[in-house]
Amino acid sequence: GNGESSKIQDFVSCTGASIDLAKSFLSSNNWDLNMSINTYYATAEPSTSSIEEESVPPPQPQVTERLFQPRYSGRVRQRRKPSSWQNQPSLAKLFKPPDDINFKGSFEQAADEASSAGSWLLVNIQDPLEFKCHQLNRDVWNKAEVRGIIEGSFILWQQENSSKHGQWYCSFYGVREFPHVAILNPKTRQIAKIWENVEDVVDVVSFQESLTEFLRTNSRASSKRQKREHTSSSTQDDDLLQAAIQASLEESATSSRGPKSEIKQHQGKQRPEPGPDVKVVSSVEISPDIKAAVKVSPEPDAGPSVTTLRVRLPSTMGGEQLRRRFFKKASIQNVIDFVWDHMLKAENVPGKGIENLVLKTTFPRRTLNKKATLQDSKLLNAVVQAEFDD
């Protein structure tokens, strides 16, 4: 037909082969012109007879690479010795993901690893259908300068948007555009920085400057160092508190020697009892009735109907973080009961009742409905803040 004749002419004009040879390659490849030309250059020596007759230079070979070699029908010809262009790096190597520095595991495991190492969590969600994602692998993640910054201050967690972990992250953080690159605080799981412009990510110079500037303005100490600083700060606060109590006692002793009118003015004020056992605590006595009213169900085993929740206690109580498994259908009140029970056992309860205890999301900030379930509140593998409302 006309279509076959046209393809024969295109094959001959492109390769310089004879018409019979063109028919042979086209028929062997179901008349696919591109595949026939690629097969010709991969398996056959170019014919020089027609080239010499027409006195025109030989055509340049077309370079086509595939991740998977196609199946060829017809007679298999002996391959030529590979030319110089065939020795170039393959597409798979050029766009290879950074598997050697990428954390293998779930988001929670990556965040825990970054938290224990005192590093930031660098998240990259890829869409294989977006070329910019492959460009990010080639131009950024494979650069030695960027790798040096990541290995020193970050834990890289790269996932495809179609993977189980990638789907969870996209659903939880509302990711719709790819490639997605963001820096997260591994303790709070909050996004500290996100690149909205894709061009700023795939440009290695711009991205490297952004990472350096972020580290310059958001330096973090290791978890061990933070623990030492927190202990030191707490010790200093205790010293200041004891000094204030001692000064108050001395002032009270001085005023007791003054006129009776001044003594009467101080009679209605509460003062700490003097003595070496002076201690100021935030807890109050809890009646057995209140303590018995709190019922906490046993912690369930891990499974598809179970999720892990992290609860940060109020900063006035040390900011301790609790971690426990709950059923996805458990209510917010069940979590509050667990927190309250922990406070009772630790004897660290402020002068407020359980009815004042609420849970709030960290970002965006909102108070959770006590009757809602964890699944309805979208709190699967999440972090919440426990606070006392007035």
Side-chain angles (χ1 to χ4, degrees), residues 208-369:
Q208 184 177 345
E209 291 177 352
S210 298
L211 288 180
T212 305
E213 178 64 18
F214 177 85
L215 293 176
R216 187 182 67 83
T217 57
N218 297 274
S219 59
R220 293 182 67 245
S222 66
S223 58
K224 295 182 179 179
R225 179 183 174 186
Q226 286 179 342
K227 185 175 182 180
R228 290 196 300 266
E229 290 177 351
H230 176 73
T231 304
S232 176
S233 176
S234 301
T235 304
Q236 293 176 358
D237 292 342
D238 291 342
D239 293 341
L240 292 174
L241 181 60
Q242 292 296 335
I245 293 174
Q246 186 64 31
S248 177
L249 293 176
E250 292 177 357
E251 182 182 354
S252 299
T254 302
S255 61
S256 62
R257 306 189 193 98
K260 295 183 178 180
S261 58
E262 295 183 4
I263 297 177
K264 291 181 178 179
Q265 293 177 1
H266 290 278
Q267 285 179 349
K269 297 182 180 181
Q270 296 180 353
R271 297 190 301 271
E273 293 295 331
D277 297 329
V278 175
K279 182 184 295 186
V280 177
V281 294
S282 59
S283 61
V284 297
E285 293 295 332
I286 305 299
S287 65
D289 294 337
I290 297 179
K291 191 171 184 178
V294 178
K295 295 182 180 180
V296 180
S297 57
E299 183 176 10
D301 296 330
S305 61
V306 176
T307 184
T308 301
L309 196 66
R310 296 172 181 266
V311 184
R312 293 182 63 88
L313 299 183
S315 57
T316 57
M317 305 175 67
E320 180 185 359
Q321 185 175 114
L322 309 180
R323 179 175 179 176
R324 188 183 189 272
R325 291 186 299 270
F326 293 91
F327 286 107
K328 295 179 180 179
K329 293 185 178 180
S331 66
I332 300 297
Q333 184 63 51
N334 295 142
V335 182
I336 292 177
D337 292 342
F338 160 71
V339 175
W340 182 258
D341 182 68
H342 175 81
M343 292 179 179
L344 292 175
K345 292 178 179 178
E347 297 182 354
N348 190 19
V349 180
K352 295 181 180 180
I354 189 174
E355 66 276 1
N356 299 114
L357 185 60
V358 296
L359 297 182
K360 296 183 179 181
T361 55
T362 55
F363 183 83
R365 193 78 168 169
R366 61 185 178 91
T367 303
L368 298 169
N369 184 358

Side-chain angles (χ1 to χ4, degrees), residues 5-261:
S5 300
S6 175
K7 290 182 179 180
I8 292 174
Q9 294 298 327
D10 291 340
F11 187 97
V12 172
S13 62
C14 181
T15 62
S18 64
I19 294 179
D20 292 338
L21 191 59
K23 288 181 179 179
S24 175
F25 274 93
L26 287 169
S27 61
S28 298
N29 291 277
N30 294 324
W31 294 90
D32 188 316
L33 181 60
N34 290 331
M35 184 176 293
S36 300
I37 293 175
N38 291 335
T39 307
Y40 171 80
Y41 284 117
T43 60
E45 291 287 347
S47 176
T48 59
S49 59
S50 60
I51 299 175
E52 293 174 353
E53 293 176 359
E54 297 177 4
S55 299
V56 294
Q60 296 293 329
Q62 295 185 2
V63 180
T64 302
E65 295 185 354
R66 298 175 183 270
L67 297 179
F68 300 96
Q69 293 296 334
R71 296 180 179 177
Y72 301 119
S73 58
R75 185 175 61 181
V76 179
R77 298 174 181 268
Q78 185 177 3
R79 291 184 177 274
R80 295 180 298 171
K81 183 179 180 180
S83 59
S84 59
W85 60 268
Q86 289 175 313
N87 293 327
Q88 298 299 321
S90 65
L91 291 174
K93 292 181 179 179
L94 284 175
F95 298 97
K96 181 182 178 181
D99 294 331
D100 54 331
I101 60 173
N102 184 32
F103 182 85
K104 306 298 189 299
S106 65
F107 174 79
E108 286 293 324
Q109 292 171 337
D112 290 342
E113 177 67 20
S115 179
S116 61
S119 304
W120 292 93
L121 181 60
L122 182 59
V123 176
N124 173 215
I125 306 299
Q126 300 274 66
D127 184 353
L129 301 180
E130 293 288 342
F131 177 73
K132 292 291 184 182
C133 296
H134 301 287
Q135 185 179 353
L136 182 63
N137 289 338
R138 182 192 66 184
D139 298 341
V140 177
W141 299 137
N142 287 327
K143 299 300 180 183
E145 298 82 359
V146 177
R147 284 171 167 260
I149 297 175
I150 293 175
E151 291 175 353
S153 304
F154 295 93
I155 294 295
L156 177 62
W157 188 69
Q158 185 189 76
Q159 295 286 328
E160 289 189 359
N161 61 339
S162 58
S163 67
K164 178 181 69 173
H165 299 310
Q167 287 179 349
W168 175 87
Y169 181 92
C170 293
S171 175
F172 187 80
Y173 288 97
V175 177
R176 297 292 182 270
E177 296 181 358
F178 306 96
H180 167 82
V181 180
I183 299 176
L184 278 74
N185 186 317
K187 290 185 177 296
T188 64
R189 272 59 166 179
Q190 292 183 358
I191 295 179
K193 179 178 177 59
I194 186 171
W195 280 263
E196 301 287 353
N197 189 357
V198 177
E199 298 300 329
D200 293 337
V201 178
V202 297
D203 184 272
V204 63
V205 176
S206 176
F207 185 73
Q208 184 177 345
E209 291 177 352
S210 298
L211 288 180
T212 305
E213 178 64 18
F214 177 85
L215 293 176
R216 187 182 67 83
T217 57
N218 297 274
S219 59
R220 293 182 67 245
S222 66
S223 58
K224 295 182 179 179
R225 179 183 174 186
Q226 286 179 342
K227 185 175 182 180
R228 290 196 300 266
E229 290 177 351
H230 176 73
T231 304
S232 176
S233 176
S234 301
T235 304
Q236 293 176 358
D237 292 342
D238 291 342
D239 293 341
L240 292 174
L241 181 60
Q242 292 296 335
I245 293 174
Q246 186 64 31
S248 177
L249 293 176
E250 292 177 357
E251 182 182 354
S252 299
T254 302
S255 61
S256 62
R257 306 189 193 98
K260 295 183 178 180
S261 58

